[in-house]
Amino acid sequence: MIDRTLGDLHVFETPEEVAAGVADAFVADAERAVQDRGAFFVALAGGSTPKAAYALLAQTPRDQRVDWRHVHVYFGDERCVAPDSAESNYNMAREALLSRVPVPEENVHRMRGEDDPEQAARAYASQLVQAMGDTPVFDLIMLGMGTDAHTASLFPGSDPQTDEDRLVRAVYVEKLSAHRITLTPRVLNNARHVLVATEGLPKAPALYAVRCGPYDPVERPIQVLAPRSGTLSWYVDRKAAAELPSK
Ligand code: 6PG
């Protein structure tokens, strides 16, 4: 069955407003999770929009509203590079956010991009199971979207739902000639909240195709997002939304 979930679309005027919206959503989800369950499990994304949101989260007043002792940080995907590489999603998140807030070091779980990709994917899956059980439920998974409609490291050209018994997958991305590690749709769609943030005119054709074009997750992997019982939100700027019908 084709599960076509478009989710809630929030269109902001500027990229700065998108970043502020993402940071506010993080704070609200963290407050709710800590209040209801005593812990907040979040998966961070790489990319430019999340980076701006992380910088805002590290600043007062937002940093004061998060009970960082109870925040457990994971990653949606990682490039297969060393953790201090400028390419590393972990490195970016560390510089913009994690080194600036009192999140306990043992609560930060990075994907080991420097290891053999298959081995790193298996090790990360074990960590997820250990922390959250066989069916991990994140409170928030932050994602971006590429101009080719990839999300996390689910790239066009193969079915994103392959190996669905796996929680984490190693992939080789032909056009980047690079290995990546990524959460699978099984984990993404189990989250309480999946938040996709994207901005800028170059993303407009993909956003239109994803929301208004035919369902084809091999070509547009982000279409696979359809949280089973959680919420899917899209935070985009006016430019990314340029090709969407106004009503
Ligand atoms: C990564 C990401 C990736 C990203 C998109 C969009 O590791 O690169 O996790 O999926 O979110 O490529 O990136 P931008 O927001 O920078 O365009």
Side-chain angles (χ1 to χ4, degrees):
M1 194 189 86
I2 293 173
D3 191 354
R4 188 86 190 262
T5 307
L6 292 178
D8 310 325
L9 179 71
H10 304 258
V11 182
F12 297 85
E13 285 308 316
T14 63
E16 292 73 26
E17 286 177 28
V18 176
V22 172
D24 288 340
F26 183 112
V27 170
D29 286 355
E31 282 178 335
R32 193 171 316 119
V34 172
Q35 194 178 347
D36 293 355
R37 292 175 296 281
F40 175 55
F41 287 85
V42 61
L44 302 182
S48 47
T49 313
K51 188 175 178 181
Y54 300 156
L56 292 174
L57 276 170
Q59 290 165 21
T60 304
R62 289 185 184 88
D63 65 335
Q64 304 294 319
R65 288 183 52 201
V66 176
D67 188 349
W68 295 101
R69 290 166 308 160
H70 299 297
V71 175
H72 299 265
V73 177
Y74 292 79
F75 287 81
D77 74 328
E78 186 55 280
R79 294 102 184 262
C80 290
V81 294
D84 58 355
S85 159
E87 287 288 294
S88 159
N89 286 341
Y90 163 74
N91 195 31
M92 184 277 275
R94 192 183 57 77
E95 282 179 359
L97 175 64
L98 304 173
S99 63
R100 299 170 192 271
V101 293
V103 60
E105 221 176 285
E106 63 273 19
N107 287 11
V108 177
H109 305 271
R110 68 177 182 88
M111 291 173 163
R112 291 182 58 90
E114 69 274 38
D115 289 351
D116 169 70
E118 268 300 328
Q119 198 181 316
R122 274 197 300 273
Y124 208 66
S126 302
Q127 283 193 50
L128 294 183
V129 170
Q130 208 179 339
M132 286 178 267
D134 287 344
T135 316
V137 178
F138 277 98
D139 296 300
L140 172 65
I141 297 185
M142 299 170 71
L143 293 171
M145 179 184 71
T147 52
D148 59 357
H150 81 261
T151 195
S153 283
L154 303 169
F155 282 84
S158 60
D159 183 355
Q161 310 214 68
T162 323
D163 292 340
E164 267 298 82
D165 52 323
R166 300 194 61 174
L167 304 175
V168 186
R169 190 186 299 157
V171 293
Y172 181 71
V173 188
E174 206 77 57
K175 69 174 172 190
L176 302 174
S177 305
H179 292 274
R180 298 267 190 114
I181 303 161
T182 186
L183 298 184
T184 63
R186 180 170 160 204
V187 178
L188 303 180
N189 285 332
N190 239 1
R192 291 193 171 84
H193 187 192
V194 177
L195 197 169
V196 181
T198 196
E199 70 204 27
L201 219 43
K203 302 290 174 75
L207 190 60
Y208 172 80
V210 166
R211 297 184 66 85
C212 304
Y215 183 79
D216 183 358
V218 173
E219 279 309 303
R220 296 183 275 278
I222 201 167
Q223 285 183 320
V224 85
L225 295 178
R228 273 178 276 279
S229 53
T231 309
L232 172 62
S233 324
W234 287 81
Y235 284 27
V236 310
D237 73 344
R238 183 74 55 206
K239 287 184 174 163
E243 295 188 18
L244 296 180
S246 49
K247 277 280 163 208

